[in-house]
Amino acid sequence: MRLNASQSVSIETDALIVGIHASPEGPRTAPGADGLDQAFDGRLAEILTTVGFAGKAEEIAKIPTLGALPAPVVIAVGLGAAPEGDYELETLRRAAGAAARTLAGTASAVLALPAATAEQAEAVATGGLLGAYGFSKYRTNGDKKAPVGELVVTSAAAGAEEALQRATTVAGVVGLVRDLVNTPPSDLWPGKFAEIAQEVGGEAGLSVDVLDDSELREHGYGGIVGVGQGSVNPPRLVRLGYRHPDATRTIAFVGKGITFDSGGLSLKPAASMDWMKSDMGGAAAVLGALLAVSRLGVAVNAVGYLCLAENMPSGSAQRPSDVLHTYSGKTVEVLDTDAEGRLVLVDGIARAAEDSPDLIVDVATLTGAQIVALGWRTAGVMSNDDALREEVVEIAGGLGESAWGMPLPEELRKGLDSPVADIANLQPERWGSMLAAGIFLREFVPDGIRWAHVDMAGPAFNKGEPHGYTPKGGTGAITRTLIGIAERYAGN
């Protein structure tokens, strides 16, 4: 990623990406494309209209320049109608990402989109880098085009260089999260995930501590042990730590890391199982966020817990009606072994509380009910503090990660009563089960600690077609939100 303050039409590159607005008079160039219409002898709008391009958001048209510019092709990307005020940053991110996705196999491209401020330049760079993602590690058939190579952002804004450096850091960790989510479970079991966290965490200057199966049993992490005991790949708990000398606050992130979820003895149907390699997306997001916090030097103390297990059926697997003794000291009756994510999370939450954080945020691909209620792209946010819930929603929305605040209705708590344990891991009714899962988790948050829960079962894995800067498969969802939370709580 490079910055160039020159006029975009004069830069030598393999592709020039420009923004185009829709208008009643036809397509119109956006700022950043100065001189482009003149290079086409004033006929750019006519050319775009001829190929059916109107300038709708994320619409793409490839126009050969036939020597009119140093770049052999112009990538026109729609920005929708021109804004009356400042550009929405998410519009710029998505446009840059949509354009970058079309350039696999291209060596270089210039992003000549609106970038009059450092914030706009960062949005363009972030979107472009996130769009220029590919996962072809397992392809052997030659259909293995690499994402576009070098991206150049055109901007003369003050602070643009620093903005591009930040975009590169953030997009880099999101790329790692996507890679982890896309990796098949045969190559990413709990122990392997822990090894990766140790390697990349150590390189980033994080402290990394790992509890193995025997240590988890010794210290009473009954939730993580119970979920993982049916697999030949034993569970792990990873603690990541970051400290800053100017920090006045401590935040804790807890991530669900089920490296594969078969449902256990409460076996999932096949159609619900084939994408369950993504069930560790919460832990991956926490790892990515801690890496970024360290690399960016955010003035906050941060800890992250990766609750790693593989949920498999076997003769040693936990059974429906088993009672688990969790790290908090509370007991849980297991009614459904496929409601396993909450069991590992409560151990992580209880351990995170011992760090005396100002807040705990857990993130998890927790319930199918989140998808039913909010769809594939919008995460649900629940909290024991209304202001914190709305703060997380606001931070996520500002970064283009759709989230919606959800309640924790008190009447659902009774459905989690158990005749033999302190609480059951599932309510008998399906209705409101995303909310009931949040209520279950809340029971393990000590009094006086602000806590938020993000259910991103849908957003973590895109089963549909790519859109904007979001690829098919692992998306890296909520990683940027966690970074944003850390930055919000930095300093004083």
Side-chain angles (χ1 to χ4, degrees), residues 12 23 32 53 75 87 99 133 188 247 295 318-319 352 371 375 458:
E12 291 192 8
S23 78
F53 181 91
I75 308 297
Y87 282 90
Y133 171 81
L188 189 69
R295 291 169 182 169
Q318 66 175 348
R319 296 153 292 248
I371 302 170

Side-chain angles (χ1 to χ4, degrees), residues 434-467:
M434 171 176 60
L435 312 181
I439 290 170
F440 176 88
L441 296 175
R442 187 187 62 183
E443 292 290 307
F444 296 82
V445 180
D447 292 341
I449 293 183
R450 300 170 75 221
W451 156 82
H453 161 58
V454 182
D455 190 340
M456 58 164 194
F461 196 81
N462 178 23
K463 297 183 72 176
E465 293 303 312
H467 55 88

Side-chain angles (χ1 to χ4, degrees), residues 21-370:
H21 286 299
S23 78
E25 295 77 30
R28 294 290 181 268
T29 56
D34 302 333
L36 183 61
D37 192 41
Q38 294 91 320
F40 282 93
D41 296 326
R43 302 183 64 187
L44 180 60
E46 179 185 347
I47 294 170
L48 290 171
T49 301
T50 300
V51 298
F53 181 91
K56 294 181 293 185
E58 300 178 40
E59 185 180 6
I60 298 288
K62 293 185 177 183
I63 308 297
T65 65
L66 303 177
L69 299 173
V73 64
V74 167
I75 308 297
V77 58
L79 296 173
E84 295 183 3
D86 292 337
Y87 282 90
E88 292 284 344
L89 297 181
E90 182 64 4
T91 297
L92 299 178
R93 290 188 202 102
R94 292 185 182 184
R101 282 194 294 103
T102 70
L103 292 173
T106 304
S108 65
V110 170
L111 286 159
L113 296 172
T117 67
E119 292 77 14
Q120 291 177 357
E122 181 179 333
V124 170
T126 300
L129 290 168
L130 292 178
Y133 171 81
F135 187 77
S136 56
K137 178 179 178 180
Y138 296 92
R139 292 191 179 275
T140 62
N141 60 4
D143 183 19
K144 193 175 180 178
K145 285 186 178 180
V148 59
E150 182 182 52
L151 288 173
V152 177
V153 173
T154 59
S155 177
E161 189 67 56
E162 293 79 7
L164 262 62
Q165 292 174 3
R166 184 181 186 283
T168 300
T169 297
V170 171
V173 300
V174 173
L176 171 64
V177 174
R178 290 172 173 179
D179 285 348
L180 290 170
V181 171
N182 287 327
T183 298
S186 56
D187 286 346
L188 189 69
W189 57 95
K192 182 63 175 180
F193 197 146
E195 289 176 10
I196 293 170
Q198 286 180 302
E199 179 182 353
V200 298
E203 291 172 353
L206 300 174
S207 63
V208 186
D209 299 298
V210 179
L211 296 183
D212 63 19
D213 185 36
S214 61
E215 291 169 314
L216 289 169
R217 292 179 184 276
E218 177 185 351
H219 295 290
Y221 291 92
I224 298 175
V225 170
V227 173
Q229 70 188 34
S231 173
V232 296
N233 299 308
R236 297 286 188 273
L237 178 65
V238 179
R239 183 188 186 276
L240 307 168
Y242 166 79
R243 298 190 64 82
H244 192 283
D246 299 327
T248 59
R249 294 174 176 174
T250 298
I251 58 173
F253 299 144
V254 180
K256 172 187 173 183
I258 305 300
T259 57
F260 184 74
D261 183 18
S262 69
L265 291 179
S266 305
L267 196 67
K268 291 179 182 291
S272 300
M273 200 189 300
D274 62 353
W275 54 293
M276 281 299 102
K277 66 179 183 179
S278 67
D279 214 20
M280 35 57 66
V286 169
L287 173 59
L290 264 290
L291 293 174
V293 166
S294 181
R295 291 169 182 169
L296 295 171
V298 181
V300 69
N301 294 329
V303 291
Y305 288 90
L306 316 183
C307 307
L308 307 175
E310 187 175 54
N311 189 23
M312 297 291 285
S314 74
S316 61
Q318 66 175 348
R319 296 153 292 248
S321 76
D322 277 354
V323 173
L324 305 181
H325 295 261
T326 69
Y327 186 74
S328 69
K330 293 184 178 182
T331 56
V332 179
E333 182 183 12
V334 179
L335 298 182
D336 189 325
T337 66
D338 195 23
E340 86 300 326
R342 64 201 71 184
L343 299 176
V344 302
L345 283 175
V346 297
D347 278 351
I349 289 170
R351 175 61 184 89
E354 295 179 350
D355 292 303
S356 301
D358 292 274
L359 77 159
I360 296 173
V361 179
D362 78 71
V363 56
T365 50
L366 202 64
T367 68
Q370 177 273 313

